[in-house]
Amino acid sequence: MEREGNDCDLGGEKSLPTAFLDGKASIFNSTLLLDHVGEVILTLSSDGLSWQSLEPAENDVSYCLGFKYVPKIPNEIKLSDIYAVELIDNSLFHMSNLPRSTERALLVHDIKIYHFIVHGFIRSNKQPSQWILTEYTFGHKNLQTCEMWVNQLHSCLKLQVERPRNLLVFVHPRSGKSNGCRNWESVAPIFSRAKVETKVIVTERAGQAFDMMSSMTNKELSSYDGVIAVGGDGFFNEILNGFLSPRLKAPYPPTPPDFAHLAKDKGDSLIGGENEILEETSSQSEDQLPLISSPDQSQYRLSNLNSEDKAPEFPVPNQWFRFGIIPSGSTDAIVICTTGTRDPITSALHIVLGKRVHLDIAQVVRWKKTARSEVEPLVRYAASFSGYGFYGDVITESEKYRWMGPKRYDYAGTMVFLRHRSYEAEISYLDVEPEETNLTSKRNRQSSLFRGSKAPRKSERCICRINCEVCNEKPENAATEICSLTPHLYSDKKRWAKTKGRFISVGAAVISCRNEKAPDGLVADAHLSDGFLHLIMIKECPHASYLWHLTQLTRKGGSPLNFKFVEHHKTPAFTFTSSGNESVWNVDGEMFQAHQLSAQVFRGLVCMFATGPEV
């Protein structure tokens, strides 16, 4: 199908539009004006837009030592990089910064032109992973020609089916430096241009986002393509827990035989007596593994907290429903690890363009709140990190100085470091790694304080990046979707290992936890979706040695794990029991009091509007 072209008086060329249906036609082109460039032949193909200038470059030409330098001007943009196209008010408009010959033609013939804007992005040359907004303004004397291009581009963008159309947005006004509302206002036009409907809720109290997410019906939730958190890691954790708590059907983490907890059977607990404690065996039955919500499952060992039939209507995990974060917090480790940068514009573009990456989620179960309390299991979910000892003390201390904003963490961290406290505890972890890949435990016995003066070579680290092979690898033993959430629990080589002593800190990282103060994060080669927790135990050590460890965290390419007093294990599950009265954990930046707990990781449980860090 062909359409009648329109003559362009400026260049004497005839526009040659060609139908572009379902991405099968080769071209769709016209002669148009491009702001800052002049007359161009604009071509739409299955890959995107490209243009070829019909005039020699005159602007921005400079000379140095007799050499002529002409700036490189973009001449194409992919469809996947276009987030919006708009015809501006259907009004006449004089374009600016055109070549002199074009300007003279416009003035002599008194020609005014209509125009449309193609909104997209380019990648920053200076900041890795940061995306910068860009726009290209095209014009023509004929309004119908502009409308034809806008309609054609809209049709092409509609074929990008991954892009969201309706989002629920929670804004934390006091997160970080209290810039949540300001950050949302800065990115809201991007959503508006992309024609993404947003229902915006500015929270007024702690726990409001959790209450709203957990009480939403399936019908309400299904009307959205995802949920956006404008805030920090703690705020995202609140939304995540509100989503998962009433919907995820999963058993408690596996525990070793001597992990003593007796849960009172209230009809909604997995564990009703000592004989039901999960024991380490070479094989486990399906009902001991996470249960995926599906219509054909009629019985679950963990009850739904809010509704009787949420699971069949809204399955978890859900491949379509995604989460996004507009960074506005103190550290923003989750958004840095998933998008590669702490930039609200970049995060907004990932969302409107419908990017997708899977993210591991840790299930943390508190069995006893204090040493003398009764066993009453409480489940929390974490997307980045759970830490005890030093990390728990910092989050507790920082609560006294909320008026300081993000600086309270630096101050609290300094105060806690100077105290240099250690805590006695017992930790068991499920060791499923082959001997040659276990990171530290077997080398600790024969190493010096610092195992080698050099950091591991970069080639030895498999860093998680966009299209990561490790995260995309499908487990060989996960024949069913149920097994795919906890594939490493099926390992024939798994065994429970135990360590007991005094620890300055105990932490479990789900992701690398990169942030501005720790450029490589806690574990540089942690992945977004490999089904492993990184258990890091800092044993009691001299004050100066611990400072050395912390200093390595702040260095790009540092080796914070390469010390004798540091144990690091990749594991799908672990348990913890405090030997004293101290019991405060830091779970994704929120306090969680737990004297005895167990944890496991679910591989790729949720999807994020992100791609993973770029190179």
Side-chain angles (χ1 to χ4, degrees), residues 493-535:
K493 298 180 180 180
K494 69 180 183 295
R495 66 180 183 86
W496 283 103
K498 181 186 297 184
T499 181
K500 185 176 182 179
R502 296 195 66 84
F503 302 92
I504 295 177
S505 68
V506 176
V510 184
I511 55 181
S512 65
C513 300
R514 292 185 182 90
N515 58 75
E516 292 180 350
K517 296 185 183 301
D520 288 339
L522 295 175
V523 185
D525 54 355
H527 287 265
L528 296 178
S529 182
D530 64 349
F532 278 113
L533 292 169
H534 289 262
L535 183 62

Side-chain angles (χ1 to χ4, degrees), residues 430-547:
L430 202 56
D431 187 0
V432 297
E433 290 188 288
E435 241 180 81
E436 61 271 15
T437 63
N438 200 310
L439 302 178
T440 58
S441 59
K442 295 176 179 61
R443 291 186 294 169
N444 278 343
R445 301 187 183 94
Q446 57 224 1
S447 61
S448 59
L449 173 66
F450 185 62
R451 292 192 292 271
S453 57
K454 294 184 179 179
R457 292 192 303 270
K458 290 185 179 180
S459 60
E460 294 176 354
R461 292 177 173 176
C462 182
I463 305 298
C464 190
R465 297 295 188 195
I466 184 173
N467 299 321
C468 176
E469 294 182 1
V470 174
C471 295
N472 292 333
E473 182 182 2
K474 293 184 178 180
E476 296 180 0
N477 52 7
T480 66
E481 191 176 10
I482 293 176
C483 306
S484 66
L485 275 185
T486 53
H488 305 297
L489 293 182
Y490 286 86
S491 172
D492 294 333
K493 298 180 180 180
K494 69 180 183 295
R495 66 180 183 86
W496 283 103
K498 181 186 297 184
T499 181
K500 185 176 182 179
R502 296 195 66 84
F503 302 92
I504 295 177
S505 68
V506 176
V510 184
I511 55 181
S512 65
C513 300
R514 292 185 182 90
N515 58 75
E516 292 180 350
K517 296 185 183 301
D520 288 339
L522 295 175
V523 185
D525 54 355
H527 287 265
L528 296 178
S529 182
D530 64 349
F532 278 113
L533 292 169
H534 289 262
L535 183 62
I536 306 169
M537 296 174 282
I538 312 296
K539 296 179 180 179
E540 193 174 39
C541 64
H543 213 153
S545 299
Y546 189 53
L547 177 60

Side-chain angles (χ1 to χ4, degrees), residues 254-292:
T255 58
D258 59 349
F259 186 73
H261 51 54
L262 292 174
K264 293 182 178 179
D265 190 1
K266 298 179 181 179
D268 62 353
S269 172
L270 282 175
I271 299 178
E274 189 172 9
N275 61 336
E276 291 187 34
I277 296 175
L278 297 181
E279 298 184 16
E280 188 274 321
T281 58
S282 59
S283 62
Q284 292 179 308
S285 60
E286 272 193 0
D287 65 348
Q288 290 175 304
L289 296 162
L291 302 177
I292 311 294

Side-chain angles (χ1 to χ4, degrees), residues 74-223:
N75 62 356
E76 63 179 355
I77 183 171
K78 296 180 180 178
L79 281 174
S80 58
D81 293 347
I82 299 174
Y83 73 88
V85 181
E86 57 180 341
L87 185 66
I88 304 299
D89 296 330
N90 291 343
S91 61
L92 295 174
F93 177 77
H94 270 299
M95 304 190 82
S96 60
N97 298 320
L98 295 175
R100 294 187 183 90
S101 59
T102 303
E103 287 183 352
R104 285 194 295 268
L106 289 173
L107 292 173
V108 170
H109 296 91
D110 193 24
I111 296 176
K112 295 183 178 180
I113 57 176
Y114 297 89
H115 75 296
F116 62 94
I117 300 177
V118 176
H119 295 278
F121 75 91
I122 57 175
R123 289 169 172 82
S124 171
N125 291 327
K126 297 180 180 179
Q127 299 294 331
S129 298
Q130 184 170 335
W131 295 356
I132 302 172
L133 292 175
T134 186
E135 58 183 46
Y136 304 97
T137 303
F138 295 93
H140 197 276
K141 70 169 188 176
N142 191 309
L143 175 60
Q144 290 182 341
T145 297
C146 291
E147 290 177 337
M148 176 184 65
W149 271 96
V150 170
N151 292 336
Q152 194 65 63
L153 284 168
H154 279 158
S155 298
C156 293
L157 294 183
K158 286 181 180 179
L159 299 177
Q160 308 286 320
V161 294
E162 293 287 308
R163 300 188 180 188
R165 290 289 172 260
N166 200 3
L167 296 171
L168 178 61
V169 180
F170 288 100
V171 180
H172 192 318
R174 293 178 296 278
S175 183
K177 297 181 180 179
S178 299
N179 56 3
C181 292
R182 192 185 314 110
N183 281 352
W184 171 247
E185 290 171 1
S186 70
V187 300
I190 296 176
F191 292 85
S192 178
R193 292 190 201 106
K195 299 189 182 332
V196 178
E197 297 290 334
T198 55
K199 179 179 179 180
V200 182
I201 299 170
V202 179
T203 59
E204 299 176 351
R205 60 176 176 82
Q208 180 180 348
F210 175 90
D211 294 340
M212 294 188 68
M213 284 297 298
S214 60
S215 62
M216 287 182 69
T217 65
N218 282 324
K219 185 176 181 180
E220 290 175 316
L221 199 60
S222 298
S223 66

